[in-house]
Amino acid sequence: AGLMLDNERSLKAFTDDLVENLKQITKMNRPLKDFIMNTFKINAYRNAIKNKRHSKIQEKVERLKRFNNQEIYLDRKFLNSSTGRKSGDIQELVMEEQTSLVQGCAGAGKTSVLSKTIENWSKGKALQNIKCCLFLGGADKTDRDDDPKVQLFRLIWDGYQSKVSRWTHDEANSIFHYLQDLADREKLAIMIDGLDELGTISKKEIQNASRVVFNPSSETDMKTICVGILSREILPGARVIATGRNTVSINSEILKNKALHFDLMDLTTKDHKEIVEMIEDDPKEQNIILKALNTVVEKGNGYFLRHKGSFDDTTHNSLNNGEKG
């Protein structure tokens, strides 16, 4: 047991989890062995994220390293569309309501927020009351008719398939039910990135989800899983946060406005300055970059974020050519 545990999650922490769950295990009449093995599997999943072995999350985190392999990331703020209240705490969004939607334009940083949050969770720096945090990506998924379908209890571990594919049917089924137990106790969080990439979403997917959930070994696609989670047909009770470019329509047409809705707030001038300071130490060159940015930021926050990795190269070229900005 000690060898399978994270160095930062001691055997005592595992024992504490066991004691916390003993009554729940007895109540559900589930074998203690299943609980222990499922806990180990989730801990291995957590370690895979922390040690950069989760393919999908790692690919998204690597996108933040556009300058000399240095990660450029700032914590973001969110605006509640209904109340106008601002929040800079992603945990507040996750725990305030079962389902929260975050809207932002293309390139605004939605993916970065989710991928950094789950990475921080794996390191024990965020969502500390969450035992398992799943990440589902909308892009490049089985949402087209010609794509092969995958069993629900395996596809739910998106980006971790290399490990999940080795689980037996009984193991995959057991841990899926354990995820539901965690969801019932508000210990499971699910992050869905890029709802727009799933294509047109309709109530048909809700109906499909309500059928497939009765048999987790049924084959399904990512769109059905995501819609089923949002509509609380699949793993009801889980804390869910999902992003997209037009989540208002999804909330009104699919979720009947039951989700909290937030806008990802634009970077401020202070944020721009902080990013420039991350990629350039020389004050003179910082000023040149910031002056160049004055014309860029007018094109929008998303444009700035998509192109920030090229600003420094452009500035260095300008300096080498004797230009002043």
Side-chain angles (χ1 to χ4, degrees), residues 151-163:
Q151 292 171 308
L152 168 61
F153 57 29
R154 298 187 192 276
L155 189 57
I156 197 74
W157 299 91
D158 184 23
Y160 192 56
Q161 295 297 325
S162 61
K163 293 289 185 181

Side-chain angles (χ1 to χ4, degrees), residues 70-233:
Q70 177 186 357
E71 183 175 289
I72 307 298
Y73 178 77
L74 291 178
D75 290 331
R76 304 296 296 276
K77 290 182 172 57
F78 312 89
L79 179 68
N80 188 308
S81 304
S82 300
T83 65
R85 185 168 62 88
K86 299 177 182 179
S87 175
D89 185 0
I90 188 69
Q91 178 160 318
E92 185 177 326
L93 271 65
V94 174
M95 301 307 298
E96 187 171 348
E97 183 59 52
Q98 278 196 15
T99 305
S100 295
L101 303 176
V102 175
Q103 179 170 285
C105 65
K110 304 181 296 296
T111 295
S112 299
V113 169
L114 295 192
S115 56
K116 284 299 297 181
T117 298
I118 195 168
E119 183 185 53
N120 286 335
W121 165 79
S122 73
K123 298 176 180 178
K125 297 178 180 179
L127 305 177
Q128 293 167 345
N129 56 331
I130 295 295
K131 298 298 183 185
C132 184
C133 188
L134 299 175
F135 185 94
L136 303 178
D140 305 321
K141 286 293 168 290
T142 57
D143 52 309
R144 300 184 298 273
D145 292 338
D146 57 344
D147 281 326
K149 296 182 183 295
V150 180
Q151 292 171 308
L152 168 61
F153 57 29
R154 298 187 192 276
L155 189 57
I156 197 74
W157 299 91
D158 184 23
Y160 192 56
Q161 295 297 325
S162 61
K163 293 289 185 181
V164 174
S165 62
R166 303 175 192 173
W167 296 347
T168 67
H169 178 282
D170 289 343
E171 287 175 329
N173 189 57
S174 175
I175 197 167
F176 182 83
H177 287 291
Y178 181 61
L179 290 177
Q180 183 58 68
D181 298 337
L182 293 178
D184 291 340
R185 292 180 285 130
E186 299 183 356
K187 300 291 187 181
L188 173 68
I190 304 174
M191 301 190 175
I192 304 175
D193 179 46
L195 291 176
D196 312 273
E197 307 298 335
L198 295 173
T200 303
I201 296 177
S202 67
K203 295 181 180 179
K204 175 185 176 182
E205 280 77 33
I206 298 180
Q207 297 171 349
N208 291 341
S210 64
R211 289 193 292 267
V212 74
V213 73
F214 286 108
N215 183 10
S217 64
S218 299
E219 294 184 341
T220 187
D221 54 39
M222 185 57 70
K223 181 189 289 188
T224 299
I225 287 182
C226 290
V227 175
I229 290 171
L230 288 171
S231 60
R232 304 177 190 175
E233 294 288 342

